[in-house]
Amino acid sequence: MNASAMDLFLCFVGKTTVRIWGLTPRRRIFRVLSAAGFHPVEVDPADLRECAAVLLFRGDYLIDDRLVKQLARTRDTMLQIDDGGRSIPVAAHVSAGLATRISEYIETGAEDPSIRELRIETPESLSLSFQAGLLKFDPPFVLQVSAERRHALERRLFDWSYKGVTDVITKWVWPVPARWTVGCCVRWGIRPNHVTAAGLVLVVLAGGLFACGQYGWGLVAGWLMTFLDTVDGKLARVTVASSRFGHYFDHLIDLIHPPVWYMLWGIGLTTDQGGSMGVSMTALLWLIVVGYASGRLAEGLFQWVLGQFGIFCWRPVDSFFRLVTARRNPNLFLLTVSVLAGRPEIGLLSVAVWTVVTSLFLWMRLVWAAGTRIRRGPLVSWFTDADRHRYDRTLAWRLFTGRTTG
């Protein structure tokens, strides 16, 4: 067997042809490990002794991405789950000398003295519940795959892919249609970057319509773009199709287009409409741009200097405030209400005021966090295992995790 120094050898025990979001569990594990920088190579059980170390997986279980990556980094470890008081081995990372016997144990469950040489872990013992990238507390999962459970498993994986702390529209309006749209994308072979590219077209279309004063149609394009912005991220996560290009492509669009939209909205106002606000258009647009930039700066400084996690995950008040923070979706809501009322200029004024208020709040929280760190040491997110017990039964915990207990 030819192998390179970068190969990570995998062997699967048991299998299923059931696809969850278009992927079998085996194929998903390959994608997860490849995306994490490994070079996974599947080996035949007969070749196990020729490998320095082997990752063994049950091929009929859906295993959380975090557990797969953690196991790949940790030798001499077995992952087990509890099923009604019975321990079921689902994966292991072992040396070649143990690989055959541990493979048989995973397949049959027959006890073997070799198990004593391994560290036994469970999804709960690995303390991987806080997902900084998705801004939420979500314990890792291991779920058996079957045709009867496919829809439930797809729902579970989609919910796992959704950010916990976000704006009110994304959190409570988009989930159901987004899940349906992601399913359509999987069936039709549409990739996340295709969705992001369609969103970019809508960004340009909405901006052009705003500049022409066609606010109604511009808002239709804008809202559709925000919906696709939700879809592309979820599609990338459930199909493990994220890429560095896609990540920066999506985030660059998200970062730049909101203030551009507001400026084009101002261009679309007639002289009479602009003059009715009692403030110059130039001053209003400067307030929006500077307020937006300063708010983003406060968020960045918190994460880079103080918390090593996002400011909106620090305390419940910060997570609540993210629901209505002056980002694109809450601002689009203000603009939509103003157009329905026939006063688009009031919408722009509202965006300016709310952007300034939001930025001031973020800078207040940043200063407060700096003082807290000086007095008490490193900051801890209320979503982490170390701190979450303080909030387990609060309204905030139920809203942002869907759980009432640990």
Side-chain angles (χ1 to χ4, degrees):
M1 178 179 60
N2 295 325
S4 73
M6 299 300 294
D7 288 339
L8 182 66
F9 297 106
L10 277 65
C11 183
F12 292 90
V13 178
K15 65 179 181 178
T16 179
T17 59
V18 177
R19 297 174 183 268
I20 307 301
W21 293 117
L23 299 174
T24 62
R26 171 185 168 279
R27 184 58 182 160
R28 183 179 183 85
I29 287 172
F30 265 88
R31 286 196 178 183
V32 168
L33 292 173
S34 296
F38 297 101
H39 182 224
V41 177
E42 186 170 3
V43 296
D44 188 271
D47 296 328
L48 290 180
R49 292 188 179 276
E50 298 182 30
C51 309
V54 184
L55 268 170
L56 304 167
F57 288 102
R58 284 286 297 262
D60 54 350
Y61 275 78
L62 181 65
I63 303 177
D64 192 299
D65 298 5
R66 292 167 289 176
L67 297 175
V68 173
K69 289 183 282 191
Q70 180 71 15
L71 198 62
R73 301 186 191 103
T74 312
R75 288 277 297 272
D76 301 319
T77 302
M78 174 175 287
L79 178 66
Q80 294 185 343
I81 60 172
D82 179 78
D83 184 14
R86 184 167 61 98
S87 294
I88 298 178
V90 293
H93 190 176
V94 297
S95 63
L98 296 177
T100 301
R101 285 180 291 172
I102 298 301
S103 174
E104 292 174 355
Y105 171 64
I106 293 176
E107 184 174 15
T108 65
E111 290 291 339
D112 190 296
S114 304
I115 302 171
R116 298 170 190 159
E117 301 179 35
L118 304 178
R119 180 170 60 256
I120 305 299
E121 298 281 9
T122 65
E124 295 77 19
S125 69
L126 288 172
S127 299
L128 299 172
S129 297
F130 178 50
Q131 297 195 76
L134 293 178
L135 310 179
K136 66 178 178 181
F137 175 92
D138 192 7
F141 57 83
V142 177
L143 303 168
Q144 189 168 19
V145 174
S146 66
E148 295 76 19
R149 302 181 66 196
R150 183 173 69 84
H151 292 297
L153 291 172
E154 289 187 341
R155 171 69 179 270
R156 176 67 183 88
L157 196 56
F158 181 86
D159 291 345
W160 165 84
S161 76
Y162 220 89
K163 284 187 177 180
V165 178
T166 185
D167 66 87
V168 65
I169 302 295
T170 302
K171 191 172 183 68
W172 284 309
V173 178
W174 291 154
V176 173
R179 188 169 67 249
W180 179 85
T181 304
V182 167
C184 292
C185 290
V186 170
R187 288 192 295 273
W188 299 338
I190 298 173
R191 297 181 61 81
N193 286 348
H194 299 156
V195 179
T196 306
L200 178 58
V201 172
L202 289 168
V203 165
V204 176
L205 178 60
L209 290 167
F210 292 156
C212 294
Q214 299 294 317
Y215 296 118
W217 287 112
L219 286 168
V220 170
W223 280 117
L224 183 55
M225 181 272 162
T226 72
F227 175 68
L228 293 184
D229 190 40
T230 291
V231 170
D232 60 4
K234 313 306 172 290
L235 178 61
R237 294 183 197 112
V238 300
T239 61
V240 200
S242 300
S243 66
R244 179 169 296 183
F245 170 78
H247 173 79
Y248 288 113
F249 183 33
D250 180 61
H251 281 74
L252 188 63
I253 294 172
D254 289 347
L255 184 66
I256 293 175
H257 82 268
V260 174
W261 272 1
Y262 310 142
M263 288 188 285
L264 293 173
W265 187 283
I267 291 173
L269 293 173
T270 65
T271 302
D272 290 342
Q273 288 173 321
S276 67
M277 292 186 290
V279 61
S280 75
M281 184 62 64
T282 301
L284 202 62
L285 293 176
W286 271 112
L287 278 176
I288 292 175
V289 172
V290 173
Y292 176 81
S294 65
R296 288 286 194 167
L297 178 61
E299 294 176 39
L301 287 173
F302 182 96
Q303 184 158 0
W304 299 329
V305 178
L306 297 177
Q308 306 304 312
F309 53 85
I311 191 172
F312 297 113
C313 288
W314 183 31
R315 287 293 176 260
V317 65
D318 304 302
S319 297
F320 272 117
F321 196 68
R322 177 63 181 90
L323 292 169
V324 293
T325 295
R327 291 280 191 88
R328 180 194 58 212
N329 287 3
N331 285 348
L332 270 186
F333 177 78
L334 294 176
L335 294 173
T336 301
V337 171
S338 73
V339 169
L340 292 175
R343 298 293 300 277
E345 74 281 6
I346 299 300
L348 192 63
L349 180 61
S350 301
V351 168
V353 171
W354 190 232
T355 299
V356 171
V357 170
T358 292
S359 297
L360 289 174
F361 178 84
L362 290 173
W363 279 98
M364 288 171 55
R365 294 298 293 166
L366 180 66
V367 172
W368 186 268
T372 301
R373 180 167 181 173
I374 292 171
R375 296 192 309 271
R376 303 179 184 176
L379 303 180
V380 179
S381 167
W382 74 293
F383 284 107
T384 61
D385 291 326
D387 203 43
R388 68 186 179 86
H389 65 279
R390 298 172 54 193
Y391 302 98
D392 270 354
R393 298 185 184 278
T394 67
L395 173 62
W397 190 252
R398 293 196 295 272
L399 287 176
F400 288 100
T401 68
R403 297 175 177 82
T404 56
T405 65

